[in-house]
Amino acid sequence: MDVNVKVLLTDTAAAEVSGPPLSAPTRLRPVDASLSVGGGAEPADRERELAETFGSAPWLWAEADTVRFRAADRRLRSLFLRLPDLPSPDPLLCEQWTVAPVATGGLVADRAEDFALPAAAYRWTDPAGRHLVCLGADPRTRADAQRIAVRIADGTHLLLSDGLVTGWMVTDPARYLADGWEEPPATPPDATTALLLRDCLALTEGPAYDLLDSGDEASCARLRDLDRRVRAHTAADPARMSVLGKAVERLLEDVC
């Protein structure tokens, strides 16, 4: 679709879809429940980026995602998004985003000013594990709202409801599994990898995690079964199973 799209990051901060999307790798890290595109691997790199950019960042106790624009040309440079804990109360709404029209491109901010982009509150993964949708506590999505998914990086979309950012989505999230700052594997994941990630995410959602944390035996049995399935799939997808395996092992150590 036409990429001449206006993006309201907040009620006061705006940008326009322009130019190519971010070229940096998309990384989904289940261990620390985050998604990032760009940014620095070392603390010194991150400090330098903050000095050379503007936008949203978590200050003090603010639950804000990090979206940074270059001061020199106001173009999007990087983002770091937190994966919310709670399952979505409206799976149908989340599913509708998977078929929304898509615009592709980078962002150019209207003005060089800081703002706070609230972190998403709810998440949903489709049954096949091919879409991860994260929405804010107030998605402001009316039934007749214009929905657009802006692909700002490989697999990574900002979700617009009448132009306002109401969340984000990753298509084929298993493709971008990473541990630290290495690049995700170039080969696409198979259906089993997608389902294993789906099941890992399901076990760490609010009520499900609460059961694990309380020592619920049935929940711990599901976690141990997931660990077995991840190990069994290691030969087929070793890099991604290493990432998932570390996340599962940490859960087993912490709660079971």
Side-chain angles (χ1 to χ4, degrees):
M1 66 174 295
D2 186 357
V3 296
N4 186 20
V5 175
K6 199 71 171 179
V7 177
L8 297 174
L9 295 156
T10 70
D11 289 332
T12 59
E16 185 173 339
V17 178
S18 176
L22 289 172
S23 59
T26 295
R27 298 179 175 94
L28 178 64
R29 302 182 183 89
V31 168
D32 65 0
S34 70
L35 179 134
S36 68
V37 182
E42 301 297 331
D45 297 331
R46 293 193 288 271
E47 290 178 10
R48 183 167 53 253
E49 176 167 306
L50 284 174
E52 297 173 349
T53 61
F54 65 91
S56 176
W59 302 109
L60 297 177
W61 299 279
E63 291 293 327
D65 280 331
T66 301
V67 179
R68 305 300 293 179
F69 295 82
R70 291 193 297 256
D73 57 9
R74 293 183 279 112
R75 287 193 171 276
L76 182 64
R77 176 165 168 172
S78 65
L79 64 147
F80 182 92
L81 307 174
R82 300 179 186 182
L83 188 64
D85 297 327
L86 297 177
S88 172
D90 192 346
L92 179 58
L93 172 61
C94 294
E95 187 176 12
Q96 290 171 345
W97 282 111
T98 68
V99 295
V102 176
T104 299
L107 298 182
V108 179
D110 284 2
R111 295 186 299 275
E113 61 182 11
D114 288 327
F115 57 92
L117 182 66
Y122 303 107
R123 74 191 197 206
W124 171 85
T125 307
D126 73 292
R130 295 300 184 182
H131 295 86
L132 170 62
V133 176
C134 298
L135 298 177
D138 178 17
R140 304 193 193 183
T141 304
R142 306 187 320 274
D144 61 344
Q146 181 188 40
R147 294 182 178 86
I148 297 176
V150 180
R151 190 177 73 85
I152 58 173
D154 195 14
T156 303
H157 305 70
L158 293 181
L159 304 180
L160 309 185
S161 174
D162 286 338
L164 180 67
V165 173
T166 61
W168 51 276
M169 175 176 69
V170 184
T171 55
D172 204 7
R175 174 184 286 270
Y176 307 106
L177 281 170
D179 179 28
W181 291 90
E182 83 281 5
E183 292 196 18
T187 56
D190 61 16
T192 299
T193 297
L195 293 177
L196 289 170
L197 174 59
R198 179 203 65 184
D199 293 347
C200 182
L201 292 175
L203 280 170
T204 57
E205 288 179 344
Y209 180 80
D210 290 343
L211 284 172
L212 276 175
D213 197 36
S214 69
D216 177 70
E217 184 52 40
S219 298
C220 286
R222 284 193 291 272
L223 182 58
R224 287 189 288 268
D225 181 65
L226 176 60
D227 180 56
R228 178 192 59 77
R229 291 162 56 207
V230 167
R231 293 175 186 275
H233 196 54
T234 296
D237 199 346
R240 294 187 178 95
M241 291 306 99
S242 175
V243 174
L244 271 185
K246 289 178 182 178
V248 173
E249 286 171 14
R250 177 174 293 187
L251 273 175
L252 284 168
E253 291 173 359
D254 290 346
V255 299
C256 291

